[in-house]
């Protein structure tokens, strides 16, 4: 089966400051995303986790083609889309196929747009719909998201957090996309509202055959919603595999610390060592050292002299750590 | 165990153009020395208003309309602004959800800690700076002498929250109120920040009120949990009891909506309905009634929190686990 989305060694670096003429060394760079490879199949939900600043949102912006890659290729439905400059992607044939849902629907929806305007916006811009056809699609999307049509005339501040989240999702699915990229869609919601939004996503996936990339720092939500999970640390994928397997038997020390830090209702936590300190600087990191070295509770000499490769540790389960050698 | 704080019948109203909002109604709970009490409930349930009322930091539209908050002998709700200002920072300290906005953006963090040290911590002009650096070291900030000169925007969210804790702990308060102290932080940073609060409490016998909407965090960190809904404390019990045998229908629903416990998404249940409108005068006796599937005719009758069993109090006419 060919994947819907495929990333091959994708990197994004942001130069700090301008390159000066005649300067001896190139300017320092923030390595936001480094050599990330991943695939998303049709109907699959892939979770993307990792601490703040590890590059999740940058990766998402590369996939949705809001940013250009520095290196690597992105394939969507067998077509290379990384070659299309971000500024032209708005008019690209695949633009309507990849849609995005943002963290705080309240902030990402234009406050002067009614719910109907917000849902209609991508239909107008990307599909050129007008009049009755437009209205029909707006109502279809609202209904699919369980948003009462009577609320379509309201402005964002007149809607509850859960209703705003529904508008954000309705807007994203209105163009009939194949891939939905969700960046912390429930982070601003109460647990109870979160449950309804998660169930809506699950239902839409079953009904419409959508694929999801789901970014979250709530590992419990990822565990419940995702088929596969990708763990990032300082721009690199350090582990990926079936969600169940990664959560039950993590093979990378960072994933282990992450899972151990999640509060449990039972109140007891396994005695995994606490992850202290902050990640290292993403500016020109040492290419010959594990990026977790120095903070890793299991680190040893070799971690400071060689970058561990991402290797298969079990079928479909990859990890990048010298301990697995 | 002696109570550090005893809140009794605390009521708060906000005067708005759209009417009077009865945000808190006869809220009550206690916290003992060295103990952590968690205040949980969905957004808008009144957790922060409770904290602000106790601290005397309600905004002008808010008014305490009844009740007491006893810190030892002193009723914080009746104390003069001058007395309250002395108590705040010295005996009671608070840390806020968004540390970056709570800190002064144009003062180096070390200076801000030194200010509190001088005002409340018994430090002098000469040693306040050293003690501030010591405090930064104590909250696990590497290279504290250099970091003391940093401005809040130069520090990560987790580091700002550690600075807030350093400020809160500067005067060794008897009571710490932590309002969503780790919301927006990574789980790994959250664990470090919460460990730090627990360590401080263990060292000084400080009582802690942990305000959170994360039941799992409360479960892990608190000895007792108070559940709030629409301005009422609906249930208070020891953590293990509350999770294993919730008696209030809302507590049970809240637990069923928490992803931590669920094996699959289908196991999760949302709490039906929404918080009631708290404006005006005709607020039902049980503010959960419109959402409750156990409601009966007598649920409209006056409701008082009562002890269903030792240490387990609820406000419900037909609690779970009790023959009807
Ligand atoms: N300035 C205000 N004017 C009117 N009503 C207010 C005001 N501040 C708070 N309230 C009301 O008081 C109630 C409790 O609010 P509070 O902020 O304490 O909730 P919370 O539990 O802390 O919620 P969150 O988790 O979102 O912070 C809500 O009904 C809220 O609308
Ligand atoms: N435009 C930019 N210029 C410089 N650095 C950037 C830029 N955008 C992102 N970064 C850096 O890239 C890294 C990853 O950021 P981001 O993807 O936003 O993290 P996350 O979403 O996981 O919190 C961070 O170190 C961030 O500071
Ligand atoms: S390679 Fe070394 S430093 Fe990196 S995760 Fe493995 S043990 Fe830790
Ligand atoms: S008093 Fe009645 S309506 Fe209120 S929670 Fe109890 S059973 Fe439900
Ligand atoms: Mg982000
Ligand atoms: Mg609050």
């Amino acid at each position: 089966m060919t994947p819907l989305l495929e990333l091959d060694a994708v990197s994004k670096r942001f130069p700090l400051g301008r390159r000066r003429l005649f300067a001896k060394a190139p300017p320092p760079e923030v390595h936001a995303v480094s050599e990330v490879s991943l695939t998303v199949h049709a109907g699959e939900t892939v979770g993307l986790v990792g601490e703040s600043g590890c590059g999740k949102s940058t990766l998402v912006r590369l996939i949705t083609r809001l940013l250009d890659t520095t290196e690597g290729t992105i394939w969507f439905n067998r077509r290379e889309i990384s070659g299309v400059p971000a500024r032209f992607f708005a008019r690209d044939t695949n633009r309507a196929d990849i849609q995005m849902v943002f963290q705080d629907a309240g902030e990402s929806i234009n406050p002067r747009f009614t719910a109907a305007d917000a849902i209609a916006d991508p239909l107008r811009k990307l599909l050129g719909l007008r009049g009755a056809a437009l209205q029909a699609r707006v109502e279809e999307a609202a209904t699919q998201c369980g948003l009462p049509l009577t609320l379509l005339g309201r402005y964002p501040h007149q809607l509850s957090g859960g209703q705003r989240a529904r508008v954000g999702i309705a807007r994203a699915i209105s163009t009939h996309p194949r891939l939905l990229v969700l960046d912390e869609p429930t982070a601003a919601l109460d647990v109870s509202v979160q449950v309804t939004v998660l169930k809506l996503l699950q239902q839409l996936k079953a009904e419409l055959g959508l694929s999801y990339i789901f970014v979250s720092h709530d590992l419990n939500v990822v565990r419940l919603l995702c088929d596969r999970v990708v763990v990032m640390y300082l721009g690199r994928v350090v582990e990926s595999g079936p969600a169940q397997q990664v959560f039950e038997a993590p093979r990378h020390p960072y994933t282990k610390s992450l899972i151990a830090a999640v509060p449990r209702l039972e109140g007891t936590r396994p005695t995994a060592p606490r992850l202290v300190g902050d990640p290292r600087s993403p500016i020109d990191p040492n290419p010959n050292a594990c990026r977790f070295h120095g903070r890793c509770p299991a680190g040893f000499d070799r971690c400071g002299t060689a970058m561990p490769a991402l290797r298969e540790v079990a079928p479909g389960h990859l990890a990048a750590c010298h301990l697995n050698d | 165990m002696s109570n550090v704080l005893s809140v009794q019948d605390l009521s708060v109203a906000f005067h708005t153009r759209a009417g009077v909002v009865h945000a808190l109604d006869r809220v009550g709970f206690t916290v003992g020395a060295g103990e952590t009490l968690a205040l949980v409930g969905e957004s808008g349930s009144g957790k922060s208003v409770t904290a602000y009322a106790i601290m005397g930091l309600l905004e002008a539209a808010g008014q305490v309309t009844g009740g007491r908050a006893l810190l030892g002998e002193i009723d914080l709700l009746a104390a003069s602004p001058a007395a309250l200002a002395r108590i705040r920072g010295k005996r009671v300290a608070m840390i806020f959800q968004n540390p970056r906005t709570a800190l002064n953006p144009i003062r180096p963090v070390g200076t801000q800690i030194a200010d509190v040290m001088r005002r409340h911590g018994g430090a002098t002009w000469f040693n306040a700076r050293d003690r501030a650096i010591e405090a930064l070291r104590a909250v696990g900030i590497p290279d504290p002498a250099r970091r003391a000169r940093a401005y809040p925007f130069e520090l990560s969210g987790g580091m700002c929250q550690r600075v807030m804790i350093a400020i809160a702990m500067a005067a060794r308060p008897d009571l710490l109120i932590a309002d969503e102290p780790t919301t927006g932080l990574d789980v790994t940073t959250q664990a470090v920040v919460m460990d730090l609060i627990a360590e401080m409490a263990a060292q000084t016998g400080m009582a802690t009120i942990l305000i959170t909407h994360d039941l799992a965090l409360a479960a892990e960190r608190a000895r007792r949990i108070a559940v709030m809904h629409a301005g009422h404390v609906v249930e208070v019990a020891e953590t293990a009891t509350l999770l294993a045998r919730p008696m209030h229908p809302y507590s049970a629903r809240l637990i069923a909506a928490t992803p931590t416990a669920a094996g699959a998404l289908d196991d999760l249940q949302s709490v039906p309905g929404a918080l009631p409108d708290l404006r005006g005068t005709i607020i039902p006796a049980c503010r959960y009634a419109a959402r409750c599937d156990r409601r009966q005719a007598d649920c409209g009758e006056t409701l008082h929190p009562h002890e269903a069993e030792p240490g387990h109090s609820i406000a419900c006419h037909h609690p779970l686990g009790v023959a009807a």
Side-chain angles (χ1 to χ4, degrees):
Chain A
M1 194 170 53
T2 45
L4 180 65
L5 178 79
E6 186 165 11
L7 270 66
D8 185 21
V10 168
S11 299
K12 180 67 188 178
R13 296 187 295 271
F14 297 101
L16 288 176
R18 265 261 209 95
R19 181 171 192 156
R20 298 219 189 88
L21 215 55
F22 312 121
K24 284 193 194 77
E29 289 179 316
V30 175
H31 292 234
V33 167
S34 304
E35 296 167 33
V36 168
S37 298
L38 60 86
T39 54
V40 181
H41 289 278
E44 197 180 30
T45 300
V46 174
L48 198 56
V49 303
E51 70 200 309
S52 171
C54 75
K56 306 181 296 294
S57 298
T58 303
L59 186 59
V60 158
R61 283 162 24 107
L62 291 168
I63 292 170
T64 51
R65 303 299 293 106
L66 295 166
L67 267 185
D68 285 323
T69 55
T70 309
E71 274 148 24
T73 42
I74 303 176
W75 301 78
F76 184 80
N77 207 17
R78 301 187 207 186
R79 176 172 165 247
E80 192 195 325
I81 57 167
S82 45
V84 185
R87 63 180 189 283
F88 294 140
F89 195 70
R91 291 188 294 278
D92 193 81
T93 46
N94 283 129
R95 176 64 187 84
D97 290 330
I98 306 175
Q99 289 287 1
M100 174 129 191
V101 178
F102 293 93
Q103 165 159 355
D104 189 349
E107 277 176 19
S108 58
I109 298 173
N110 187 330
R112 287 186 303 261
F113 274 12
T114 61
D117 294 336
I119 301 170
D121 190 44
L123 291 170
R124 278 203 193 95
K125 284 192 186 139
L126 303 178
L127 303 183
L129 294 186
R130 299 282 182 277
L134 177 66
Q135 178 162 2
R137 283 284 276 273
V138 168
E139 291 182 359
E140 176 196 52
T143 307
Q144 281 168 333
C145 293
L147 192 70
L149 299 184
T150 49
L151 296 182
L152 284 178
R154 294 211 189 166
Y155 291 92
H157 72 271
Q158 296 169 317
L159 296 169
S160 73
Q163 289 163 344
R164 276 202 297 268
R166 283 174 202 274
V167 173
I169 296 168
R171 173 190 161 86
I173 64 161
S174 68
T175 62
H176 296 174
R178 312 212 17 216
L179 174 68
L180 219 55
V181 181
L182 304 111
D183 196 353
E184 309 237 16
T186 62
L189 302 175
D190 263 319
V191 276
S192 174
V193 182
Q194 173 174 284
V195 173
T196 52
V197 172
L198 293 177
K199 288 193 171 183
L200 170 67
L201 290 174
Q202 195 185 38
Q203 175 208 329
L204 288 173
K205 181 172 121 169
E207 280 172 9
L208 309 175
L210 289 168
S211 303
Y212 293 149
I213 293 179
F214 186 86
V215 179
S216 178
H217 62 235
D218 189 334
L219 297 191
N220 280 306
V221 170
V222 171
R223 178 176 58 89
L224 294 178
L225 196 74
C226 299
D227 306 312
R228 276 194 307 127
V229 58
V230 173
V231 185
M232 287 181 72
Y233 188 82
L234 261 181
R236 299 187 76 90
V237 172
V238 295
E239 181 157 12
S240 74
Q244 192 85 15
Q245 200 176 327
V246 170
F247 287 125
E248 271 165 21
R251 296 290 298 272
H252 192 282
Y254 175 66
T255 316
K256 288 180 190 170
S257 314
L258 205 58
I259 292 169
V262 177
R264 281 146 232 272
L265 279 180
E266 307 85 68
T268 54
R269 52 167 65 254
T271 46
R274 270 288 187 277
L275 196 56
V276 291
D278 289 300
R280 286 206 225 175
S281 162
I283 301 166
D284 292 340
N286 179 353
N288 296 315
C290 172
R291 290 204 183 160
F292 196 36
H293 184 49
R295 201 182 176 206
C296 176
F300 56 107
D301 297 351
R302 210 169 118 211
C303 309
T305 56
M307 172 77 79
L310 193 60
R311 294 193 303 108
E312 194 159 58
V313 291
H317 187 167
L318 310 178
C321 172
H322 292 312
L323 288 176
N324 292 316
D325 288 350
Chain B
M1 185 168 34
S2 64
N3 286 334
V4 171
L5 179 77
S6 166
V7 176
Q8 300 158 9
D9 292 324
L10 169 61
S11 298
V12 169
F14 286 94
H15 299 273
T16 71
R17 259 185 291 166
V20 178
V21 180
H22 298 275
L24 297 187
D25 178 45
R26 293 166 296 145
V27 162
F29 56 81
T30 60
V31 214
E35 184 190 43
T36 297
L37 170 83
L39 224 49
V40 304
E42 66 203 290
S43 175
S45 58
K47 308 178 299 289
S48 300
V49 171
T50 302
Y52 285 110
I54 295 168
M55 294 295 288
L57 294 174
L58 282 178
E59 50 185 294
Q63 189 196 351
V64 174
T65 55
R68 304 195 293 172
L70 297 176
L71 183 76
E73 310 285 273
I74 308 164
D75 181 1
L76 297 175
L77 304 181
S80 70
L84 212 51
R86 270 198 307 280
I87 293 165
R88 237 185 350 245
K90 180 145 183 69
R91 293 190 58 197
V92 188
M94 182 159 172
I95 51 186
F96 300 87
Q97 170 164 350
N98 197 334
R100 223 182 287 274
T101 55
L103 289 167
N104 184 339
I106 56 162
R107 251 173 120 63
V109 295
T111 315
Q112 297 191 49
I113 300 173
D115 290 344
V116 180
M117 290 277 185
R118 271 193 295 270
R119 225 178 309 129
H120 299 295
T124 64
W125 270 107
F126 303 103
N127 66 9
R129 205 185 147 68
D130 290 343
R131 285 192 45 194
I133 291 169
E134 244 351 274
L136 284 173
R137 195 190 311 279
V139 292
I141 291 186
D143 199 358
R146 195 168 62 85
R147 286 290 175 23
R149 291 193 294 271
Y151 291 89
F153 73 88
E154 296 176 284
L155 301 176
S156 69
M159 250 190 244
C160 280
Q161 196 55 288
R162 277 180 262 177
V163 170
M164 280 298 296
I165 294 173
I167 291 177
M169 305 308 297
R172 302 200 150 224
D174 302 331
L175 172 69
L176 175 71
I177 303 180
D179 189 0
E180 307 266 9
T182 57
T183 303
L185 300 182
D186 291 303
V187 279
T188 47
T189 314
Q190 166 172 285
V192 172
V193 166
M194 293 307 301
D195 281 354
L196 188 63
I197 294 176
E199 252 167 57
M200 299 278 181
Q203 274 173 27
T204 66
M206 171 183 82
T208 307
I209 297 176
L210 170 65
I211 295 179
T212 176
H213 63 256
D214 183 352
L215 201 53
L217 182 68
E220 193 170 83
R221 300 294 177 165
R223 200 178 70 81
R224 287 188 304 134
I225 296 180
V227 181
M228 289 193 73
H229 176 268
H232 281 160
V233 171
V234 295
E235 180 161 12
V236 186
E238 295 216 347
T239 300
T241 311
L242 186 102
L243 294 172
R245 289 187 292 109
M247 295 183 83
H248 196 283
Y250 177 65
S251 312
R253 285 292 197 162
L254 209 55
I255 295 168
T258 302
T260 323
L265 199 49
D266 293 330
D267 302 342
L268 283 182
Q269 301 280 319
S270 63
V271 186
L275 291 178
D277 187 354
L278 300 180
R279 284 174 299 190
T281 44
I282 14 177
I283 299 169
C286 171
R287 294 179 173 190
Y288 186 62
R291 310 173 79 178
C292 183
D293 52 11
R294 293 172 66 82
R295 184 180 62 238
Q296 292 177 33
D298 61 350
C299 288
E301 289 168 18
T302 324
L303 194 55
H304 291 292
H306 58 277
E307 236 180 22
E309 55 189 34
H312 192 163
S313 84
I314 48 157
C316 173
H317 290 298
H318 304 286
L320 296 158
V322 174

